[in-house]
Amino acid sequence: MAKRRAAISYHPGSVEPIIRLWLLRVLVPLGGYRQFVHQHGFNNDTLAEVIGLGHWIDPESRDFDQKAVQAELRQLHQKAERQWYGERQSTFLNHNIDQLSSLVGLSTIDCKVLEFTVSIHNERLLDDASEWLGDLSSVKIIHALSVILNLPEADIRSSLSATGILARSGLVMMDRRGRGALRYKLDLLSEGFADLMAASKADPISLLRGTVSAAGPAQLSLADYSHIQSSLEILCPYLRNAMATGRRGVNIFLHGAPGTGKSQLARALAKEMGYELFEVASEDADGDPINGEHRLRAFRAAQSFFSQQQAMIAFDEVEDVFNDGNSFFGSKSTAQLRKAWINRMLEENPVPTLWMSNSMRGLDPAFIRRFDMVFELPIPPKTQRERILQSSCGELLDTNQISRIAEAEALAPAVVAKASSVIRLIRDDLGPQKTAAALERLISSTMEAQGHGPLLSHDANRLPEVYDPGFIHADVDLAAVAAGLVAVRSGRLCLYGPPGTGKTAYGRWLAQQLGVPLLVKRASDLKSKWLGESEKNIAKAFREAQNDGAVLLIDEVDSFLQDRRGAQHNWEVSEVNEMLTQMESFSGVFVASTNLMEGLDQAALRRFDLKVKFEFLRPDQAWQLLSRHCEGLGLHQPLPEEQARISRLVSLTPGDFAAVVRQHRFRPITSAATLMSALEAECAVKHGTHRAIGFL
């Protein structure tokens, strides 16, 4: 006897007629009844109630008759088939399907498959009943859907093919791998898509909620990207022409370090073009990452949904798709697994797309070459960093503070924007005296967390207060050289000599005379342990200087220009070659400095327009510089005996004076004699020098 249960509110009218018919088709022609009806009752009383077998649940006067129940079930199925007139569901589902049909061009068969797929994800009873069919292969899924939807298998197969509209639009994908329950083999666009389709009348962007969203307003303009002006001069006309002509397969690849403004550039471009920008999400509503497969499907849907609109699509963090495999373990990326579709998409997608990545490393060159354009978005040069700082937080910082913060070469626009937004919220609590310091602290801590150095407390590229090229002992007239470069705006200089003789300071002064920024790169900035990375860094330095119109000063250039005849590794030769190539193509002012002139590559030396030797100070220069520093420190002028002492310091350099002045901050210098003694101590620690020294 069947187990007695409390009365249930379900009845044949509790579900849509089409759902009830699908349930009966699953149970009868597909054989689900074998699991549904057993010797003593039903496996699902609610389902029995819904399809019209509720009177068997609590039989008062008779035993449960399995055969009789099965016979009645077949009768219910036959009756439902006879009485079926093709009614559609009375929910919002069909309105939304009609909308999608018009939007992406779904066929009648596609609409029925989509309706069923949404329903099996929403209707628990339909899901429960389909599980009694067991784990299905792709072939059996086609057959099951053919029976459930009363459509030819060929039509179902075509609708669910990889080239069908359902798959190309990302709406429904059939998992062809292995076996599984029907519901799990029919995958929808997103986890929440079924709910969105059935909950209310929705517009396309609403149906993409959680996967694609309208981009926010641009916080930067194209004017903030003048450091890539040469690239924009190609990109902007191309986008305008492509959009005006309806060109398909427009794909632009932007790469650069995090925070360089790739997303903001996409928004600024869309604003410039007068198009709406939609962004493919990398996280769902709960903040969990969306895998590459589902991001691709969201992108497919966006391409279909917005193909008739004036729209652009931004796909950030493309590593999720193009570089999410593991070559060590032999696993392929999502893009490699979907290579045919990716290639076809890059050739045919109707909506122009900006693909963005933090790095090009690991990306398959076969994909990269299919993009129309590939641009690097570097950290903005100093002039641009100053402009961004002024725009984002000009009211929080003074001019000197902006200039000093802008010296940080790794300072990205996103870091500035985030820090300034935080400080604005609490500036009233901080007060005017602490606001600037707090902003600097936030920027500095973020940069350190990113693996960069903290902000400097002083301007590293600022010339000493006491600076005059007349105090530099060189074998040419440095002022005349500067005047010549001001006239021609191009030249390659090699400055060589002992440390501290003023080579780098002259480069800074030269940039001031030219009225252009100075870009300083040291060997440690350019050298990399990764094969080929040093060459890329060298090229990047020259490119950055070219874009910013800056004087490029590379210190310790001997690290890259060693004589190739003595090279022991191929990379040593390639670094020299890259440096020579960049020197020849660079149209601005390039200054190289080295303490080690011997051993430089002869071909490199020939490419320098001028080689300037810097030497230790002459006695007259040393004496004048001593007098100037005494004046600057508020000391009495030195006595004649100090002149005799300083004339004996044959290895004295301007750098020694700078070191002594820095010492003054914590070990005050009270007289010219004390200053003189400190200079003698600096010279005493140098190797290979023999001179009289004084003592503090």
Side-chain angles (χ1 to χ4, degrees):
M1 180 136 339
K3 183 179 178 182
R4 290 186 174 273
R5 298 179 44 148
I8 303 174
S9 59
Y10 288 97
H11 54 82
S14 304
V15 298
E16 295 284 341
I18 185 63
I19 301 294
R20 182 171 178 271
L21 179 60
W22 288 342
L23 289 169
L24 288 167
R25 287 171 176 173
V26 169
L27 294 173
V28 180
L30 288 175
Y33 71 89
R34 298 182 183 91
Q35 300 294 324
F36 173 52
V37 183
H38 56 76
Q39 187 176 358
H40 302 291
F42 300 108
N43 267 332
N44 189 314
D45 288 350
T46 303
L47 177 57
E49 199 75 60
V50 164
I51 62 176
L53 296 175
H55 55 279
W56 285 99
I57 296 175
D58 276 331
E60 298 277 347
S61 59
R62 55 191 170 133
D63 293 331
F64 187 86
D65 188 334
Q66 185 178 7
K67 290 185 178 181
V69 170
Q70 292 176 351
E72 186 173 348
L73 179 60
R74 286 191 290 271
Q75 292 171 3
L76 288 171
H77 168 245
Q78 293 169 2
K79 182 179 179 181
E81 294 286 5
R82 289 195 303 270
Q83 296 178 345
W84 176 246
Y85 297 106
E87 304 101 306
R88 302 182 69 187
Q89 297 189 49
S90 58
T91 62
F92 297 114
L93 175 59
N94 282 295
H95 170 274
N96 293 330
I97 288 177
D98 288 344
Q99 183 176 239
L100 289 178
S101 176
S102 174
L103 190 65
V104 305
L106 299 178
S107 69
T108 302
I109 307 298
D110 295 331
C111 291
K112 290 182 178 180
V113 172
L114 177 59
E115 180 185 12
F116 176 80
T117 305
V118 171
S119 299
I120 200 173
H121 281 75
N122 273 339
E123 293 286 347
R124 179 176 58 84
L125 290 179
L126 191 58
D127 181 20
D128 290 344
S130 67
E131 288 189 355
W132 293 327
L133 302 179
D135 289 340
L136 306 176
S137 65
S138 299
V139 173
K140 290 185 176 180
I141 286 174
I142 298 296
H143 173 70
L145 290 176
S146 172
V147 173
I148 294 170
L149 300 178
N150 194 29
L151 295 169
E153 288 191 14
D155 290 349
I156 300 293
R157 187 175 297 106
S158 175
S159 178
L160 288 175
S161 71
T163 58
I165 295 178
L166 287 176
R168 287 192 283 114
S169 64
L171 293 172
V172 180
M173 291 282 291
M174 185 176 74
D175 185 359
R176 289 174 166 80
R177 299 168 297 181
R179 296 170 174 265
L182 184 57
R183 176 181 183 270
Y184 298 102
K185 298 291 282 184
L186 296 174
D187 197 14
L188 285 168
L189 174 62
S190 65
E191 287 188 9
F193 184 73
D195 290 335
L196 293 170
M197 288 286 289
S200 62
K201 293 182 179 180
D203 55 50
I205 192 63
S206 298
L207 293 174
L208 293 173
R209 188 182 305 152
T211 58
V212 177
S213 60
Q219 297 176 340
L220 300 176
S221 69
L222 292 186
D224 295 306
Y225 294 90
S226 60
H227 56 295
I228 59 165
Q229 186 61 36
S230 58
S231 298
L232 293 178
E233 288 174 355
I234 302 171
L235 177 56
C236 290
Y238 176 69
L239 285 176
R240 288 194 186 95
N241 182 274
M243 293 172 174
T245 59
R247 182 181 176 89
R248 302 177 74 87
V250 176
N251 295 280
I252 312 299
F253 196 104
L254 303 173
H255 64 99
T260 51
K262 298 185 292 293
S263 298
Q264 287 298 321
L265 175 58
R267 295 180 181 187
L269 282 168
K271 183 180 179 181
E272 178 72 15
M273 302 296 137
Y275 275 51
E276 189 170 5
L277 181 69
F278 297 95
E279 298 172 337
V280 179
S282 57
E283 296 179 346
D284 60 20
D286 298 324
D288 297 322
I290 303 174
N291 65 33
E293 179 72 29
H294 281 87
R295 295 194 72 203
L296 264 185
R297 293 185 56 189
F299 173 73
R300 288 176 165 180
Q303 286 287 338
S304 298
F305 286 19
F306 307 126
S307 61
Q308 304 302 316
Q309 299 184 33
Q310 291 186 321
M312 297 171 60
I313 296 175
F315 196 121
D316 202 356
E317 300 181 25
V318 302
E319 303 92 326
D320 295 345
V321 173
F322 290 97
N323 199 24
D324 58 342
N326 191 318
S327 58
F328 183 81
F329 294 102
S331 61
K332 295 182 177 181
S333 68
T334 300
Q336 289 168 328
L337 293 171
R338 300 285 184 266
K339 191 171 184 177
W341 183 87
I342 290 286
N343 290 340
R344 187 166 57 250
M345 173 202 65
L346 292 175
E347 296 172 357
E348 301 176 359
N349 59 297
V351 183
T353 302
L354 297 168
W355 304 78
M356 293 168 284
S357 175
N358 295 331
S359 173
M360 295 287 289
R361 184 175 293 139
L363 268 66
D364 189 339
F367 291 126
I368 295 175
R369 65 181 176 83
R370 292 183 177 274
F371 291 96
D372 299 328
M373 301 180 189
V374 178
F375 294 129
E376 182 182 10
L377 189 58
I379 296 286
K382 184 182 177 182
T383 53
Q384 284 299 103
R385 296 196 296 269
E386 287 181 336
R387 176 173 177 164
I388 292 169
L389 282 163
Q390 183 64 48
S391 176
S392 297
C393 41
E395 78 278 15
L396 306 175
L397 301 168
D398 61 34
T399 303
N400 291 331
Q401 290 167 331
I402 288 175
S403 178
R404 177 167 50 78
I405 295 172
E407 287 293 334
E409 295 180 1
L411 181 63
V415 174
V416 175
K418 179 62 69 176
S420 62
S421 67
V422 171
I423 295 301
R424 284 193 178 90
L425 290 175
I426 60 173
R427 65 186 300 186
D428 292 340
D429 298 319
L430 292 171
Q433 302 299 322
K434 296 182 178 180
T435 297
L439 179 60
E440 287 191 49
R441 195 177 307 118
L442 281 185
I443 293 174
S444 186
S445 59
T446 301
M447 292 181 62
E448 288 187 83
Q450 292 176 329
H452 308 298
L455 291 179
L456 298 176
S457 58
H458 64 284
D459 187 346
N461 284 335
R462 186 165 58 93
L463 282 168
E465 294 182 8
V466 180
Y467 184 83
D468 188 330
F471 294 144
I472 294 180
H473 185 191
D475 61 353
V476 301
D477 186 336
L478 296 177
V481 171
L485 289 172
V486 168
V488 300
R489 317 297 290 187
S490 178
R492 298 186 289 262
L493 308 184
C494 179
L495 315 180
Y496 66 99
T501 50
K503 302 183 293 296
T504 302
Y506 179 68
R508 293 170 182 154
W509 180 79
L510 189 60
Q512 285 189 0
Q513 303 310 298
L514 291 164
V516 299
L518 174 69
L519 178 62
V520 179
K521 294 292 184 179
R522 297 169 180 81
S524 57
D525 300 324
L526 304 177
K527 280 283 189 181
S528 174
K529 64 181 179 181
W530 303 106
L531 189 64
E533 199 70 22
S534 296
E535 293 89 328
K536 291 181 181 178
N537 291 339
I538 293 170
K540 183 178 179 181
F542 277 92
R543 186 166 61 252
E544 184 178 347
Q546 191 76 62
N547 291 337
D548 200 31
V551 170
L552 174 61
L553 192 156
I554 296 183
D555 200 6
E556 304 169 357
V557 77
D558 47 276
S559 300
F560 301 102
L561 292 180
Q562 289 294 319
D563 196 328
R564 287 170 289 185
R565 292 173 297 180
Q568 298 181 352
H569 305 283
N570 291 335
W571 57 263
E572 294 175 299
V573 176
S574 64
E575 288 180 358
V576 176
N577 291 339
E578 183 64 36
M579 181 67 76
L580 296 181
T581 299
Q582 294 298 331
M583 287 172 59
E584 289 185 337
S585 61
F586 186 61
S587 61
V589 175
F590 170 54
V591 180
S593 69
T594 177
N595 304 328
L596 303 170
M597 190 66 167
E598 301 80 8
L600 262 61
D601 190 89
Q602 293 302 305
L605 290 176
R606 290 195 300 271
R607 283 169 169 81
F608 286 107
D609 302 319
L610 185 64
K611 292 169 277 291
V612 183
K613 184 177 182 181
F614 284 63
E615 300 185 72
F616 299 119
L617 291 169
R618 300 190 308 268
D620 62 308
Q621 292 175 316
W623 173 246
Q624 294 176 41
L625 203 51
L626 178 64
S627 300
R628 184 76 63 90
H629 275 89
C630 285
E631 182 181 346
L633 294 172
L635 308 176
H636 293 295
Q637 285 297 302
L639 300 174
E641 51 261 36
E642 270 79 51
Q643 186 173 9
R645 291 171 65 182
I646 203 167
S647 66
R648 294 194 292 270
L649 300 181
V650 296
S651 63
L652 190 63
T653 69
D656 297 326
F657 281 94
V660 170
V661 170
R662 290 195 300 271
Q663 293 173 19
H664 178 65
R665 296 174 298 167
F666 53 88
R667 191 170 66 169
I669 297 172
T670 57
S671 66
T674 306
L675 176 58
M676 190 65 241
S677 295
L679 291 171
E680 290 169 335
E682 285 296 318
C683 290
V685 300
K686 298 179 183 179
H687 293 293
T689 57
H690 303 280
R691 65 195 64 81
I693 61 172
F695 299 91
L696 291 176

